[in-house]
Amino acid sequence: GFDRATRWLYSLGLGFGLFLGVISLQAPTFVWDCKSYHVPRILNWVQDKSLRPFPTSDIRRVAYNPGAEIASATLYLLDGSDRPINLPSWFSVITSAILASFVTELLAKLFSERTGREWPQEKARLAAAFSFLLVLTIPEGLIQAISTENDFVAAMWTLSLACMTVLFLRQPDNLSYAAAIGLSLALGICTKASTFISAAPFLAGVFVLLAWRRFYDSALKLAGILVVAVTLINAPWLMRNYNVFGHLLAPVSVSSANVNPSFSPDRDLANIFRN
């Protein structure tokens, strides 16, 4: 069982998470990005009964990856109103907190296995509880949980990929973990193309370690699963973008608008702290 401090941390986190869930059902969309991009594309899809491109003054609505908004559109259709459309983001914040807690305890266990030094179980559980509460109280996460933004949804899939890579490294013959890595990557990219960047260190790490331990068959199987999963889930949307805009991700004008107008040490430092 958990000690008192661990129970308190989990209880605080769970209570706060449920509180955010209630707000997400009651709060109207208020973030500029949601009002200008996320919600309009959901409403257009519902109105047109299709994910096909539609006339718009904001190309992001028809070009950017649609994963999170498809989930919100499904809830909109089921409820008949826009009340539940914030729930995918709220769910991703809660799930990210659970995954962070799980991977914290798992890393403590791995530390004990690799070094032969016993990590007290109660301390590992306390650290996991801190991770759970930390993720739930990230300031950006509070805004994400009560909006239709998709950054935390992509973060959830990256955390899932991170957890699965650790489990796969422990059991390289378990293809269920390899399939979970592939699905996490594919669904993360379907949500936000920048998942390529956040997932890269974990994928590079798992392939390097598999090669170092000479698990070449496992590395090849994982590579094949990644290619198949990403292709099956993302190829239709990416090819549609290519046919419409001549670019897989978005028109060059939209992509350039999201790049910093200049680069300098202070801007780099600001981005490091923010991320």
Side-chain angles (χ1 to χ4, degrees):
F2 297 131
D3 59 29
R4 179 179 295 181
T6 302
R7 286 198 301 270
W8 268 104
L9 287 171
Y10 275 123
S11 297
L12 284 172
L14 184 60
F16 187 63
L18 293 175
F19 173 68
L20 288 176
V22 172
I23 295 178
S24 74
L25 283 170
Q26 301 298 325
T29 297
F30 63 95
V31 179
W32 175 85
D33 212 29
C34 299
K35 291 192 286 186
S36 63
Y37 153 45
H38 296 287
V39 174
R41 79 190 311 206
I42 293 169
L43 297 178
N44 272 282
W45 290 342
V46 172
Q47 175 181 283
D48 296 344
K49 299 179 182 179
S50 171
L51 299 181
R52 285 193 291 268
F54 48 83
T56 177
S57 60
D58 191 334
I59 299 299
R60 296 178 303 167
R61 299 174 188 172
V62 293
Y64 280 5
N65 295 19
E69 291 84 2
I70 288 177
S72 293
T74 302
L75 293 175
Y76 184 100
L77 291 169
L78 289 172
D79 187 70
S81 75
D82 63 354
R83 283 190 62 191
I85 63 174
N86 294 333
L87 288 180
S89 290
W90 169 78
F91 176 80
S92 70
V93 173
I94 298 294
T95 305
S96 294
I98 295 170
L99 288 170
S101 173
F102 170 74
V103 79
T104 300
E105 199 163 349
L106 179 62
L107 289 173
K109 186 176 181 180
L110 280 175
F111 174 82
S112 297
E113 291 176 357
R114 299 297 181 188
T115 63
R117 295 167 55 188
E118 188 64 31
W119 187 292
Q121 192 173 36
E122 62 275 9
K123 287 188 177 181
R125 288 176 175 173
L126 184 62
F130 269 117
S131 297
F132 181 76
L133 187 61
L134 175 65
V135 172
L136 283 171
T137 53
I138 293 174
E140 177 66 17
L142 308 184
I143 303 300
Q144 296 271 332
I146 57 176
S147 73
T148 53
E149 295 207 275
N150 59 7
D151 302 273
F152 238 96
V153 182
M156 174 189 71
W157 292 122
T158 300
L159 265 173
S160 172
L161 183 144
C163 291
M164 292 303 112
T165 54
V166 175
L167 292 172
F168 183 64
L169 284 170
R170 299 184 77 201
Q171 299 180 38
D173 295 327
N174 192 329
L175 292 182
S176 297
Y177 293 142
I181 294 172
L183 282 174
S184 297
L185 178 64
L187 291 170
I189 293 169
C190 184
T191 301
K192 207 172 181 69
S194 57
T195 301
F196 275 119
I197 300 170
S198 56
F202 300 106
L203 294 175
V206 73
F207 281 112
V208 167
L209 288 172
L210 287 173
W212 181 59
R213 294 160 64 182
R214 298 185 179 180
F215 290 126
Y216 301 121
D217 287 345
S218 297
L220 288 172
K221 288 175 182 176
L222 176 60
I225 289 171
L226 289 174
V227 170
V228 170
V230 172
T231 301
L232 286 177
I233 292 177
N234 293 281
W237 186 268
L238 296 178
M239 292 310 299
R240 190 221 64 165
N241 270 358
Y242 185 80
N243 290 333
V244 174
F245 306 113
H247 198 282
L248 290 176
L249 299 179
V252 175
S253 59
V254 175
S255 300
S256 61
N258 289 316
V259 176
N260 283 340
S262 63
F263 295 91
S264 61
D266 57 333
R267 281 183 180 270
D268 294 340
L269 193 61
N271 273 294
I272 289 170
F273 275 109
R274 280 187 2 173
N275 286 292

